[in-house]
């Protein structure tokens, strides 16, 4: 399926690191076996026989990576944005997620989510479903057909939630195993990820058992960490014997190390938690839009970049109001400026290069060699036509990228490749 | 031109006050002589003979109002967003504004700005030009043809700027009078507004003379106030004899009272300045996007609402990256949440109702009875088709408005009326 080789010609931009943006005007991007074989200003002789799509003045960048989003919340994005996390879950989110026990509603609602994700510049996403096995399979079926590569989780939760969404531990584990049985063999593009909602929703025994599943089945985990001050207080009450939020996850074997882990938010990590996250190679999903909408705060991304933590961006729909990772890049920059201004002048605001890195290679690393055009990276690419973004003056390629990030929308996306397969 | 009467049928939404959102499903909005004659659930007998456009399930809201934007900066929006105000002016803005001495460049660049403003949901805007008379007339000519109602200012500046943009006082006043001569008679839709850039760019004598022009010619004024901490320090150095930034404007007769005044930003007003702004009925243009992009800070909008100051929203392109006043509504809400979270828990975040008010009636008041559908208001209306914003669940009309504010773009705008004239 991936054994074709071809070349794209156009204005190529990608990140090698947070401060290493590479811009190749009128370059060639070569795909072999679903991987990047190289980026060239002049196409080497050996590739000249390959089929070449000439995108002329268009821009070609790596597919964007969404490290954290909730498919069943897509229908309520932008609604009821006047609560903090715990109330928002109670009044907006849980009632909506309960609807996904109904396959008809799940199909209708997930189709809208999947269709919009397909049309976006995102090629990889880590996605929360609901507790429902059937509903989560519907989501995975729909995603599989798009050609996007996603990690999807059936949610586990067995306390502090409405009865209709509250599993008992046995049922939660039984359903998880049932779901994994089909999920592990049924799909080419979609893989399962273990998904305890967050500490307040899970008992110790459930967390421990989920950790066993991760190790037995070699599966990653995704959850939430230190998003909201009231949530953090609540975790302290619920897990009095642990040293803190991250420590509790770690104690139950769900905080990196041998279990690849994404933790969304990480706004209020202590120094010890930062150290632990680094040591265990936990990925932080920075979700600036969500963190504004739920009045959660601003994550100190500069600190995490300085300490070289693993990190990417998350749309966190529906606390975030958009699936656009371009928008998350701009908001990551914006909130970093406010954190610098209002709280700590040592935390230099993010540059657009850094934000672009986070939304591509930074988050992509959770999927392996993803999010860059360096040799050997999976060939995820999106082609952007920015001609509709009119301007009267000449622009550098870097400036055109800035405009794409701030100003483009789905109309500007021309095509999209995932592991060398053209899906749009 | 305005002596027609007609009716629009649809889902009608407007604000009476910051906390008074009115939603009339399947209602009738009646226009007579360019003004709102009334909003009705059932159309009164006397209006049943009027031509009626049935917009069925579409949403009809007042045209949005942009109290502060810079047309000549539109070309550089989203570029070089890594500086604070004074450096950003020096490196990004002034070099761009200098180009508007060339009528060809001005025509090309202003056409892009005007075309995008026309396609937006905005019906009224207060707009900065440059120092150039000819360039500013080009902008006014282009705007006039759209049917939008705008106040446009030739900028005055005679110090602390590059030579090519630095007027001497006499020239500045001579050019202003020259510009006013034609501007006051040439246009139906566009009116002039006196526009000293901001205190650092203007000497005392220039400010005083501009104030005389305002009074002689019965003109309003627009400028900037307390946007950035370094700017505020600079103003203190430049005007040592005044008590502060607002006080200096006031001393030179450019701070409300008999001269209707818009001051953009107002992030760091002192208590005395707030009192003076209230007393003099100065309009604050709150520009949340700009204030993030230039790391300026967050204006305490809650304080201003509590004190019942006059206030609206400004896109402040190009420190703001978008002309969309819908986006400014969402960002006003978002930054208010961060201010509450990070700085002052007494400053309750804005509700979406309040943000909608600010972007319609709040700012509209600067234009008179504008920005609402109460009887006697100018008939500025935009018709939004939100059918493309798919959703699986039933929604209230209020929820549909929330989605329009967060999720819509120019594709959703169906038609636009200004003072009863259909311009789209």
């Amino acid at each position: 399926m991936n054994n074709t080789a071809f070349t794209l010609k156009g204005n190529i931009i990608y990140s090698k690191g947070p401060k290493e943006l590479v811009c190749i005007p009128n370059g060639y991007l070569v795909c072999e076996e679903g991987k990047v074989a190289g980026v060239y200003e002049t196409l080497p002789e050996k590739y000249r026989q390959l089929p070449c799509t000439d995108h002329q003045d268009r821009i070609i960048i790596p597919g964007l990576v969404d490290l954290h989003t909730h498919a069943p919340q897509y229908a309520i994005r932008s609604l009821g944005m006047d609560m903090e996390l715990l109330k928002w879950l109670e009044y907006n989110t849980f009632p909506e997620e309960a609807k996904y026990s109904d396959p008809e509603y799940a199909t209708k609602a997930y189709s809208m989510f999947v269709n919009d994700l397909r049309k976006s510049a995102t090629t990889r996403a880590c996605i929360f479903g609901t507790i429902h096995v059937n509903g989560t399979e519907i989501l995975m079926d729909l995603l599989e057909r798009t050609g996007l590569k996603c990690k999807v989780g059936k949610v586990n939760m067995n306390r502090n939630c409405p009865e209709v969404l509250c599993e008992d531990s046995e049922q939660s584990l039984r359903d998880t195993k049932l779901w994994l049985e089909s999920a592990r063999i049924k799909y080419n593009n979609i893989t399962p990820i273990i998904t305890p909602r967050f500490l307040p929703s899970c008992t110790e025994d459930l967390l421990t058992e989920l950790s066993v599943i991760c190790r037995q089945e070699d599966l990653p985990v995704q959850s939430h960490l230190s998003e909201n001050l009231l949530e953090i207080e609540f975790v302290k009450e619920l897990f009095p014997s642990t040293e803190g939020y991250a420590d509790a996850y770690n104690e139950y074997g769900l905080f990196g190390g041998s279990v690849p882990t994404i933790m969304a938010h990480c706004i209020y990590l202590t120094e010890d938690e930062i150290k632990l996250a680094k040591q265990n190679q936990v990925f932080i999903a920075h979700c600036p839009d969500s963190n504004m909408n739920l009045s959660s705060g601003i994550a100190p991304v500069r600190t995490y970049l300085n300490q070289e933590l693993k990190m990417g961006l998350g749309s966190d729909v529906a606390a975030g109001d958009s699936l656009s990772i371009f928008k998350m890049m701009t908001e990551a920059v914006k909130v970093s400026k406010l954190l610098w201004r209002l709280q700590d002048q040592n935390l230099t605001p993010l540059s657009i290069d850094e934000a672009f890195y986070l939304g591509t290679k930074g988050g992509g690393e959770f999927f392996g060699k993803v999010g860059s055009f360096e040799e050997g990276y999976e060939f995820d690419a999106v082609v952007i036509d920015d001609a509709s973004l009119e301007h009267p003056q000449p622009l550098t390629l870097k400036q055109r990228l800035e405009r794409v990030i701030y100003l483009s929308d789905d109309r500007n996306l021309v095509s999209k490749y995932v592991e060398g397969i053209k899906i749009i």
Side-chain angles (χ1 to χ4, degrees), chain A residues 98-153:
Chain A
K99 297 179 187 173
Y100 290 76
S101 63
D102 171 10
E104 198 178 327
Y105 188 83
T107 304
K108 191 174 172 189
Y110 280 147
S111 296
M112 293 171 186
F113 167 80
V114 169
N115 192 36
D116 286 354
L117 188 64
R118 192 186 74 84
K119 290 189 298 182
S120 78
T122 297
T123 53
R124 310 264 174 165
C126 295
I127 304 172
F128 279 53
T130 60
I131 60 162
H132 312 98
V133 174
N134 191 13
T136 305
E137 283 182 354
I138 289 168
L139 173 61
M140 294 171 92
D141 290 347
L142 290 165
L143 283 167
E144 172 71 17
R145 283 179 228 145
T146 63
L148 298 167
K149 298 267 174 188
C150 300
K151 296 183 191 294
V152 175

Side-chain angles (χ1 to χ4, degrees), chain A residues 237-256:
Chain A
E237 284 170 34
L238 293 170
F239 297 87
S241 68
T242 61
E243 282 173 35
Y245 207 151
D247 188 57
Y249 278 121
N250 196 41
E251 197 161 298
Y252 305 112
L254 294 168
F255 201 66

Side-chain angles (χ1 to χ4, degrees), chain A residues 35-91:
Chain A
K35 292 191 171 20
V36 176
V39 177
Y40 303 96
E41 292 182 18
T42 308
L43 195 64
E45 185 61 38
K46 63 178 173 176
Y47 295 128
R48 294 200 184 160
Q49 302 311 312
L50 294 181
C52 176
T53 306
D54 185 352
H55 281 291
Q56 301 190 329
D57 199 34
R58 290 172 177 158
I59 292 171
I60 307 173
I61 59 171
L64 308 187
V65 179
D66 189 342
L67 275 194
H68 182 70
T69 201
H70 294 259
Q73 296 172 19
Y74 193 60
I76 57 163
R77 71 197 187 284
S78 84
L79 300 177
M81 289 293 199
D82 53 354
M83 288 171 243
E84 282 191 81
L85 176 65
L86 299 179
K87 289 210 162 174
W88 179 82
L89 286 170
E90 182 182 349
Y91 290 101

Side-chain angles (χ1 to χ4, degrees), chain A residues 1-263:
Chain A
M1 202 166 163
N2 280 340
N3 60 357
T4 49
F6 61 89
T7 303
L8 302 185
K9 185 170 187 300
N11 297 299
I12 297 166
I13 308 178
Y14 63 100
S15 280
K16 285 185 171 177
K19 292 180 193 299
E20 278 183 277
L21 187 75
V22 181
C23 296
I24 316 271
N26 300 308
Y28 296 86
L29 174 63
V30 181
C31 176
E32 279 186 320
E33 304 273 342
K35 292 191 171 20
V36 176
V39 177
Y40 303 96
E41 292 182 18
T42 308
L43 195 64
E45 185 61 38
K46 63 178 173 176
Y47 295 128
R48 294 200 184 160
Q49 302 311 312
L50 294 181
C52 176
T53 306
D54 185 352
H55 281 291
Q56 301 190 329
D57 199 34
R58 290 172 177 158
I59 292 171
I60 307 173
I61 59 171
L64 308 187
V65 179
D66 189 342
L67 275 194
H68 182 70
T69 201
H70 294 259
Q73 296 172 19
Y74 193 60
I76 57 163
R77 71 197 187 284
S78 84
L79 300 177
M81 289 293 199
D82 53 354
M83 288 171 243
E84 282 191 81
L85 176 65
L86 299 179
K87 289 210 162 174
W88 179 82
L89 286 170
E90 182 182 349
Y91 290 101
N92 287 354
T93 308
F94 291 151
E96 178 65 18
E97 290 195 12
K99 297 179 187 173
Y100 290 76
S101 63
D102 171 10
E104 198 178 327
Y105 188 83
T107 304
K108 191 174 172 189
Y110 280 147
S111 296
M112 293 171 186
F113 167 80
V114 169
N115 192 36
D116 286 354
L117 188 64
R118 192 186 74 84
K119 290 189 298 182
S120 78
T122 297
T123 53
R124 310 264 174 165
C126 295
I127 304 172
F128 279 53
T130 60
I131 60 162
H132 312 98
V133 174
N134 191 13
T136 305
E137 283 182 354
I138 289 168
L139 173 61
M140 294 171 92
D141 290 347
L142 290 165
L143 283 167
E144 172 71 17
R145 283 179 228 145
T146 63
L148 298 167
K149 298 267 174 188
C150 300
K151 296 183 191 294
V152 175
K154 173 223 162 313
V155 168
N156 302 95
M157 49 205 281
N158 68 344
R159 64 168 163 175
N160 296 316
C161 50
E163 204 174 330
V164 65
L165 284 179
C166 200
E167 308 172 304
D168 67 38
S169 302
E170 274 180 33
Q171 180 206 341
S172 186
L173 293 165
R174 203 168 51 237
D175 280 0
T176 301
K177 285 171 185 168
L178 187 72
W179 163 68
L180 284 174
E181 261 177 46
S182 68
R184 298 217 71 173
I185 53 168
K186 199 171 163 189
Y187 306 109
N188 285 314
N189 302 317
I190 311 304
T191 54
I193 181 167
I194 296 300
T195 305
R197 181 170 211 110
F198 67 157
L199 289 188
S201 301
C202 301
T203 57
E204 300 179 13
D205 66 314
L206 178 59
L207 293 165
T208 306
E209 290 295 330
L210 290 173
S211 160
V212 170
I213 293 177
C214 283
R215 280 154 224 275
Q216 281 175 343
E217 309 226 9
D218 196 18
L219 287 170
V221 66
Q222 61 182 352
S223 196
H224 302 86
L225 174 60
S226 281
E227 175 177 2
N228 173 282
L229 294 170
L230 298 171
E231 169 212 21
I232 293 168
E233 283 307 305
F234 194 25
V235 168
K236 276 187 194 155
E237 284 170 34
L238 293 170
F239 297 87
S241 68
T242 61
E243 282 173 35
Y245 207 151
D247 188 57
Y249 278 121
N250 196 41
E251 197 161 298
Y252 305 112
L254 294 168
F255 201 66
S258 62
V259 179
T261 300
I262 299 173
M263 285 291 162

